[in-house]
Amino acid sequence: MKNEEFATAQKTGNYGKRLIKFRLGSLRGSKFFILHSSFFILFFLASCGVDSDRFRLEGRLRNINQGEFLIYNNDGSGDGIDTIFVREGRFQYETPLRTPTIFIVIFPNYSEQPIFAEPGEVVTIKGDASHMKEMTIEGTDENEDMTKLRQELNRLMPPEIPKAVERFIKDKPGSPVSNYLLMHYYIMDPEADYDKGYQLVKEMVKAQPDNGQLQKWMEGLDGMRNNKKDSRLPAFSAIDVNGRRVTQDQLKSKVNVVTLWATWNFNSTDIQRRLQKSKKKYGDKLSILSICLDGRPNECRDRVRRDSIKWPNICDGKMWQTPLVAKFGLNDVSANLIVNDKGVIIDRNLQPLEIEEKIDKLLK
């Protein structure tokens, strides 16, 4: 699918937009159309249960015949991005799972939905493809809590939503649903109240003292409070994958972008591709610094060379412990900062298409 065909997806989706190749209607003559009756027999037999070290997501959507959508685990612990095929409105996805995690499913209307997965559990989605906001997700307490909250948020006016989210987190600071809400509404939203998010995550850490991700988010939100829009980018010094020193003095162009990425995360690699396009277009008017979360610097170096990326890339193998991550308050794999020629942060955490449009607006 060409970039222009999913521009709407980049604008209307949530924090982790992904490329979707969606097929509706008849696919006669294609490899996807060849369905055997045994598929449906196995589908219903499999719905009886799942092994204790596996997780299954299944469901049925009305008003859709055939197509596909994506599922991914955004913390990098899974196998990357996978595809779920829809056949006659039904779908099923099963994967090995040893610890609870949050999957993100991207539906045909480009909306995203968290799925709270636990080993040995089966989660079921029911709904209408033409009214995705009304779908229900059942099978665990967390998914049912999220369904109730989503239905409540759908009835609220936009200014009322943050209060409802805050109330849920305060009521259930130990819930995985609260973890998702914190990330979605207080970390990835460029207009978020980072001070409020920092206070909420402190309460969540008390309820989940062994959750290392929350500890990182607390550190990151503390950094984000000091790296808000209209604040100055802090001074820094680091060594890139080619052994060259990088400092704030190399971000003095009219527009400067600092971005976090990982080879296993599509959204972040899409940003790298778009930045490469913009760099070729604007040359020295645009400066870029990328920080890679991969645990193997050699693999990152190979990827950078293979993709012909010329700007500095930092990858020290420390992943989330990379010092610049906390220093810049970067709290998601595809987090980013837009900085002007005065060293002032003018925007942050834009989606891929938004970054490209922002650069065009500032440099044209």
Side-chain angles (χ1 to χ4, degrees), residues 6-69:
F6 66 94
T8 304
Q10 298 286 12
K11 288 183 176 180
T12 61
N14 292 321
Y15 74 95
K17 280 65 176 181
R18 296 295 184 272
L19 173 63
I20 301 174
K21 295 181 179 179
F22 179 61
R23 300 173 176 85
L24 284 173
S26 175
L27 293 177
R28 294 184 184 275
S30 76
K31 61 181 179 180
F32 297 110
F33 184 78
I34 305 174
L35 296 177
H36 202 279
S37 59
S38 59
F39 170 82
F40 295 102
I41 296 173
L42 290 173
F43 183 93
F44 288 112
L45 289 176
S47 65
C48 297
V50 66
D51 292 341
S52 61
D53 60 349
R54 300 184 68 81
F55 168 76
R56 182 187 302 141
L57 175 67
E58 59 188 29
R60 182 176 184 179
L61 295 176
R62 299 185 300 278
N63 291 319
I64 178 175
N65 183 19
Q66 298 181 168
E68 59 188 65
F69 43 88

Side-chain angles (χ1 to χ4, degrees), residues 233 236 238 240 246-248 250-251 256-261 272 275 287-291 311-314 324 328 330 337:
L233 186 75
F236 67 92
D240 72 5
V246 185
T247 71
Q248 67 277 3
Q250 289 165 266
L251 298 177
N256 307 275
V257 179
V258 178
T259 178
L260 204 60
W261 72 289
Q272 302 304 298
L275 287 175
S287 291
I288 305 165
L289 170 65
S290 293
I291 305 166
W311 62 82
N313 261 269
I314 310 292
L324 289 187
F328 293 149
L330 303 173
L337 305 173

Side-chain angles (χ1 to χ4, degrees), residues 150-162:
R150 175 166 39 80
Q151 292 171 346
E152 177 187 353
L153 298 182
N154 289 339
R155 296 191 296 267
L156 298 177
M157 298 296 291
E160 300 174 310
I161 291 177

Side-chain angles (χ1 to χ4, degrees), residues 208-226:
Q208 305 177 56
D210 298 326
N211 189 324
Q213 181 64 66
L214 283 180
Q215 295 285 348
K216 296 185 184 76
W217 282 349
M218 184 167 68
E219 295 171 3
L221 277 165
D222 193 28
M224 291 165 80
R225 294 193 300 167
N226 299 316

Side-chain angles (χ1 to χ4, degrees), residues 119-360:
E121 296 292 345
V122 177
V123 170
T124 303
I125 298 176
K126 299 177 182 178
D128 190 318
S130 60
H131 299 89
M132 295 298 289
K133 288 185 177 181
E134 299 173 9
M135 68 181 171
T136 60
I137 303 177
E138 302 172 343
T140 68
D141 291 341
E142 290 77 17
N143 286 291
E144 290 166 12
D145 282 347
M146 187 69 211
T147 294
K148 292 177 182 177
L149 177 63
R150 175 166 39 80
Q151 292 171 346
E152 177 187 353
L153 298 182
N154 289 339
R155 296 191 296 267
L156 298 177
M157 298 296 291
E160 300 174 310
I161 291 177
K163 284 293 184 182
V165 170
E166 178 184 349
R167 184 168 60 252
F168 184 98
I169 294 175
K170 286 182 175 180
D171 289 344
K172 298 186 177 184
S175 170
V177 178
S178 294
N179 299 354
Y180 169 78
L181 294 173
L182 180 84
M183 182 271 296
H184 186 72
Y185 287 96
Y186 290 97
I187 293 174
M188 284 310 298
D189 185 348
E191 304 298 330
D193 183 341
Y194 299 132
D195 291 319
K196 177 69 68 176
Y198 182 70
Q199 295 303 318
L200 289 172
V201 75
K202 286 202 301 183
E203 294 301 314
M204 294 167 66
V205 167
K206 292 178 183 178
Q208 305 177 56
D210 298 326
N211 189 324
Q213 181 64 66
L214 283 180
Q215 295 285 348
K216 296 185 184 76
W217 282 349
M218 184 167 68
E219 295 171 3
L221 277 165
D222 193 28
M224 291 165 80
R225 294 193 300 167
N226 299 316
N227 289 277
K228 299 176 183 177
K229 290 170 67 171
D230 300 324
S231 64
R232 293 190 64 83
L233 186 75
F236 67 92
S237 178
I239 304 298
D240 72 5
V241 293
N242 294 312
R244 297 173 298 197
R245 183 166 296 280
V246 185
T247 71
Q248 67 277 3
D249 292 333
Q250 289 165 266
L251 298 177
K252 297 294 186 181
S253 298
K254 186 173 181 180
V255 176
N256 307 275
V257 179
V258 178
T259 178
L260 204 60
W261 72 289
T263 58
W264 43 263
N265 181 274
F266 179 85
N267 206 39
S268 67
T269 56
D270 188 26
I271 289 175
Q272 302 304 298
R273 286 189 290 270
R274 290 174 181 273
L275 287 175
Q276 191 169 32
K277 176 183 173 183
S278 295
K279 182 65 175 173
K280 290 179 180 178
K281 185 175 182 179
Y282 295 110
D284 292 340
K285 293 181 180 180
L286 173 66
S287 291
I288 305 165
L289 170 65
S290 293
I291 305 166
C292 181
L293 291 178
D294 284 17
R296 298 183 178 88
N298 288 340
E299 292 183 5
C300 172
R301 186 184 303 112
D302 291 343
R303 176 66 174 266
V304 167
R305 289 175 178 171
R306 185 169 65 251
D307 292 348
S308 299
I309 295 176
K310 304 300 183 182
W311 62 82
N313 261 269
I314 310 292
C315 185
D316 57 13
K318 298 179 182 179
M319 304 177 75
W320 286 105
Q321 300 305 316
T322 298
L324 289 187
V325 173
K327 191 177 189 70
F328 293 149
L330 303 173
N331 240 1
D332 181 77
V333 185
S334 57
N336 51 79
L337 305 173
I338 310 296
V339 184
N340 67 15
D341 56 352
K342 306 297 183 183
V344 176
I345 298 169
I346 58 176
D347 223 330
R348 63 179 302 145
N349 292 345
L350 301 181
Q351 293 300 324
L353 183 62
E354 293 174 330
I355 288 182
E356 191 174 349
E357 290 177 339
K358 185 78 172 185
I359 292 171
D360 284 340

